[in-house]
Amino acid sequence: MLQDVRSSYRTREEQLASAARSYKKRLQRVTNTHHTLLIAYRAQREQIVAKPECGLNPGPPEGTFSLDPSELRDETEKELQNLRQDKARLEAQLQEAQDQVGETELRWLPGQYSAMNEATVAEAQVSELQDYIDNHLARYKQEINNLHRRHGIEEAQRSQSAHSSLL
């Protein structure tokens, strides 16, 4: 009877191990398919986002379809999940910024905005400096002439007093 119990225990253990292996393989296939679908979704979504004039809705960011952290097995997958969430957050911020910007500026790439801002600031500074120079240059010239005249008068008075003391 003890041998029958041991035999049935081993049989049940083998069945459970086989089922676990089968489940693990199926889970791996589903996970790989999920990753492949996410990659395809990301590529398609980026194509739609790159061409806003087509009028298609790109759909939610890929981070929305990612697995829960409890479902992820290793650190690489967890890091990948964090990166997807960061990307989704940044895309949401970009969308908010694009909503605030006019229709004509939507076609610009994000890097062009900072260059445009820097150019606008530089133009404003150049304009302010040009106004400053134009407004104050005449006054500076006048002051220089006054100083030259005063210096010339003082120089003439000194030379006269020096000349008269010699005599």
Side-chain angles (χ1 to χ4, degrees):
M1 186 161 136
L2 184 61
Q3 287 179 346
D4 289 340
V5 171
R6 286 182 183 168
S7 172
S8 66
Y9 179 76
R10 281 189 207 123
T11 305
R12 183 66 180 147
E13 186 178 1
E14 289 173 7
Q15 288 174 347
L16 290 174
S18 174
R21 283 191 297 271
S22 172
Y23 176 75
K24 189 174 180 179
K25 286 179 185 177
R26 202 169 77 209
L27 180 62
Q28 185 63 38
R29 282 194 308 267
V30 169
T31 303
N32 288 340
T33 304
H34 182 261
H35 285 301
T36 305
L37 286 173
L38 279 179
I39 291 168
Y41 179 78
R42 178 180 53 234
Q44 186 177 26
R45 186 172 188 282
E46 287 176 358
Q47 288 174 353
I48 292 171
V49 169
K51 296 180 181 181
E53 65 273 1
C54 69
L56 294 174
N57 181 2
E62 67 178 289
T64 340
F65 303 113
S66 295
L67 299 172
D68 291 333
S70 62
E71 296 173 320
L72 301 175
R73 287 191 312 266
D74 62 5
E75 291 300 317
T76 306
E77 289 180 358
K78 290 178 183 178
E79 184 63 27
L80 184 61
Q81 173 68 12
N82 290 337
L83 291 173
R84 284 184 182 134
Q85 289 173 348
D86 289 344
K87 183 182 178 207
R89 183 180 45 80
L90 291 173
E91 284 179 354
Q93 289 176 354
L94 176 63
Q95 185 61 41
E96 288 175 15
Q98 286 177 343
D99 290 344
Q100 294 174 357
V101 176
E103 185 71 27
T104 57
E105 295 178 2
L106 283 178
R107 295 186 184 109
W108 290 26
L109 296 174
Q112 290 174 317
Y113 286 116
S114 64
M116 183 62 178
N117 288 340
E118 291 173 9
T120 303
V121 169
E123 286 175 358
Q125 289 174 343
V126 167
S127 177
E128 288 176 20
L129 291 172
Q130 188 64 44
D131 289 343
Y132 181 82
I133 290 171
D134 292 343
N135 291 336
H136 295 89
L137 184 60
R139 195 180 87 209
Y140 290 151
K141 284 183 179 180
Q142 185 179 9
E143 186 65 28
I144 289 170
N145 288 336
N146 285 339
L147 290 172
H148 280 299
R149 231 178 316 130
R150 284 185 185 170
H151 185 67
I153 293 171
E154 292 173 7
E155 197 62 40
Q157 288 175 351
R158 274 192 225 146
S159 64
Q160 283 180 356
S161 65
H163 183 62
S164 61
S165 66
L166 288 176
L167 297 172

